[in-house]
Amino acid sequence: MTLPNDQENAPLHGGPIADPQADAQLREDIRLLGRILGDTVRDQEGAAVFDLVEAIRQTSVRFHRNEDKDARRELEAILDGMSTAETVRIVRAFSYFSHLANIAEDQNNIRRMRAQRADAASANGTLAHAVARAQEAGIDAKMLGKFFSQALVSPVLTAHPTEVRRKSTIDREMEIAALLDRRERMQLTAEETETLDETLRRAVVTLWQTNLLRRSKLTVLDEVTNGLAFYDYTFLREVPRLHCRLEDSLSEQGGPEALPAFLRMGSWIGGDRDGNPFVTADVMEGTVMLQSRRAFSFYLDELHALGAELSMAAHLSEVSDELRALAERSPDPSPHRAGEPYRLAISGIYARMAATAHALKLPNRRAAVGEAPPYASAAEFKADLDVLDRSLHADNSRVIARGRLRTLRSAVDCFGFHLASLDIRQNSAVHERTVAELIDAAMPGKSYLSLDEDARIALLVAELKNARPLSSLFVKYSEETLGELALFRMAAEVHAKFGAAAIPQCIISMCKGVSDMLEVAVLLKEVGLVDSSGRSGINVVPLFETIEDLQASAKIMDRLFALHDYRRLVDSRGGVQEVMLGYSDSNKDGGFVTSGWELYKAEIKLIDVFERHHIRLRLFHGRGGSVGRGGGPSHDAILAQPGGAVDGQIRITEQGEIIFSKYSNAEVGRNNLEILASATLEASLLAPKHSAPRSEYLEAMEEISALAFKAYRGLVYETDGFVDYFWESTVINEISTLNIGSRPASRKKTRAIEDLRAIPWVFSWAQCRLMLPGWFGFGSAVEAWLKAHPDKGMAFLQEMHREWPFFRTLLSNMDMVLAKSSIAIASRYAELVADQALREKIFGRIRAEWHLSIESLLDIMEQDGLLQGNPLLERSIRNRFPYLDPLNHVQVELLQKHRAEGDGGDEQVLRGIQLTINGISAGLRNSG
């Protein structure tokens, strides 16, 4: 398999051709991997299959370039002439090339990142750059230290099913990436190069022979285990290192020498119960245990290594009294360590940690030297490590203290005994039914569900003040209610065992009113996490998801804060209230433009409400990987927030394939963590404090949003037959056959768009290359606005793009998603719709809107082609099309066969479809 030639490298939609000399190493890596893959295909499948792959690719190029009808007919003839077995081989070849191209691109991104970070202070997105900018603005190191002492930056990993690869495939790909990195960075002899190249070939052949598809469905604990791998890859070492580097930077300039951990990991995996019946109390307990096990394994390994390193003899170094006392308490009987106080102290600490692991029922593969009392908390463990640190500093051995000991101490601050904070999440409707059952049993005749909002609030507030529990051992409750109570009781047990940081948030999906918040507070009171005196051990967090809910969010919070009994709960949590904003469902509900705008407006209104009530706002952004689910560059997204929206604290979800792309490589992972931290600093301290830009911009955006909303809703929810068009023209049915997650695709067993989860909705449109949720409605909205405002015209929108970060980021993300789309490919999927009149009516509207949206976007951004301002990404996408397009064409052919056969059809055809889904996802990189 080969790279596209120069003629095939024509730009996307009229854009400029990138410098052919640029990224020479990237092209060399892709050629190398393509060559190895081609050899593998020849060796494993035969020359005929290899020749067929090349013929399909070249014909696909001709079709894609100009919707060449002759090429299309030729391509269809080739595809129609293949057997199912041949088709599967072709699909595997194109899919694996996308995976290998991703590896090469990732290596190139690392190269570019290193080059940019050579001068960290001038590199945008680094903490050094953000700190330098802050100091230029008159914010000194002490003030920055104070800022970070109250800051929180928290990436939250979720198990949202958008990562289609198996862990085995990911492991093989990481092995190939490591070999490429070694090949470039090390000065190898000819013999070493030959050996490495053979190892690389062996890895590619192994990858070829590894199943791309999972044979069985993932369990929740499988998802937990997969998520924990990223702690080994990146988080356990890079999060502490980031803190240490920042401490050094600030202390050198007169700031504090130590900072509390502000970068803390979060997780939904094993706690997200919304629509996932497999997340139970037992599963949540298993999740916490697996997380803790990973933390203890790391700490014990580090202590073992530290004991080997700190070999200092008592007669050759000064030892503090408290270190000597710590060493004397060690149960280590070895005479060889009698004169080595640091080793004795560490063996004693190890013994206590081993005893703690045993008390928590965690395994330990390496026995301690003797018995010792367990630690009561991570703080006690950290206190003993601090004794070592102080003794080394007192002995002028600071350089030793700054090694493994320092990063271990920082890791304990960051991860505690729980590793990551696990959120509980459930739908408000479930909480409502649970509380209703409890109240109706405790108060016969009350009928909670028949009460209006005011009556519910009054009743729930009274319950919060009442010390007696609502539930009774003598009442037989429904399975749903018993399940919810069991989960909350387990959360209380986890608090008692691992501390409040282990489960700090309870999130309410589809929060629509004050009573939704109070219901959760009442349920928490049942298990002792809230008490009648107004103390709460957990944050109650509303998740506003639909357009209507976003519009109502500020009023809901205003009314909630006016309630004395809820305000006491907030005060008991340090006067901080978290609010989560849902990007995915708001997009499915109102379209990309309106979703982005309503989120922005909601933040402005929430900022005002929180300021009036003197409560600190912490926003939790539920962003997906794709633009259609709120994805896009994190740094730009944070800086585009309205003034006052960040305020030193932010949480952001990291989902599916995005977790791998950001955090599977330690160097890339560190860079992405630093981007989050630096953007939080800049948005908090350097962004304008006013919450909104010029009123003319707001008015224009309000009007454009309303027009886009009308166009989007008109197509998706108000066009007769659209549901049929969607289900017939996309792979939505076939996606559900992939074993990529534990959660069902729909909230209810219907075909309604309203009940479909946002992930399969966006995923399906990505597979057919329309990416409709990321742009539909924009073109017609701009056209209508221009007609209504001839006095302002295009020049005004161009000014908005230049001057307003929000609008610029919105359009930048749309630019990226449209560049990945292909109306030519999408036209083939439209032909899957049986009703010709319906097909022509709906696809005709989509095609017209697609052309109009690109035209409007390019005019506003003042570009000649898509991604003109991002030539690296433009070139990446363009180079992928010759390998990606054939997968789409094959997918359509297989869908036709599969649907014609009906239930009980050829299993190999379905497997072929699943493989195309995998390959297309790899080619698009952020499909869900």
Side-chain angles (χ1 to χ4, degrees), residues 570-609:
V570 176
D571 290 342
S572 77
R573 302 295 298 166
V576 178
Q577 170 70 58
E578 184 171 297
V579 172
M580 185 173 183
L581 302 176
Y583 289 63
S584 301
D585 280 284
S586 61
N587 185 296
K588 183 166 72 71
D589 185 34
F592 175 68
V593 174
T594 299
S595 169
W597 178 233
E598 291 298 338
L599 284 160
Y600 189 88
K601 283 198 304 179
E603 290 184 38
I604 291 173
K605 292 174 183 175
L606 286 167
I607 291 165
D608 178 61
V609 166

Side-chain angles (χ1 to χ4, degrees), residues 110 113 117 155 230 233-235 238-239 242 245 263 265 654 659-676:
I110 291 172
M113 182 181 70
R117 293 172 71 94
F230 294 94
Y233 301 153
T234 295
F235 300 131
E238 297 306 330
V239 171
L242 186 149
R245 282 198 307 277
L263 207 164
M265 299 306 301
E654 302 280 24
I659 298 174
F660 178 84
S661 68
K662 284 187 174 182
Y663 301 116
S664 61
N665 175 281
E667 196 169 356
V668 174
R670 181 173 69 243
N671 185 61
N672 280 296
L673 292 169
E674 199 164 332
I675 283 171
L676 290 178

Side-chain angles (χ1 to χ4, degrees), residues 90 188 270 342 403 739 791 798 832 865:
I90 297 302
L188 302 173
Y342 285 97
N739 296 308
D791 54 325
Q798 290 170 343
L832 293 168

Side-chain angles (χ1 to χ4, degrees), residues 1 36-55 85-86 89-90 92-93 208-209:
M1 301 184 75
I36 294 173
L37 180 60
D39 292 343
T40 301
V41 172
R42 276 197 197 93
D43 293 343
Q44 299 290 312
E45 308 297 335
V49 172
F50 175 82
D51 292 341
L52 190 56
V53 167
E54 274 300 290
E86 283 178 318
R89 292 187 182 97
I90 297 302
R92 292 183 72 234
W208 178 261
Q209 295 182 355

Side-chain angles (χ1 to χ4, degrees), residues 383-399:
D384 278 357
L385 295 175
D386 288 345
V387 170
L388 273 66
D389 179 69
R390 285 192 294 270
S391 180
L392 288 168
H393 275 80
D395 186 39
N396 292 323
S397 299
R398 187 169 182 263
V399 67

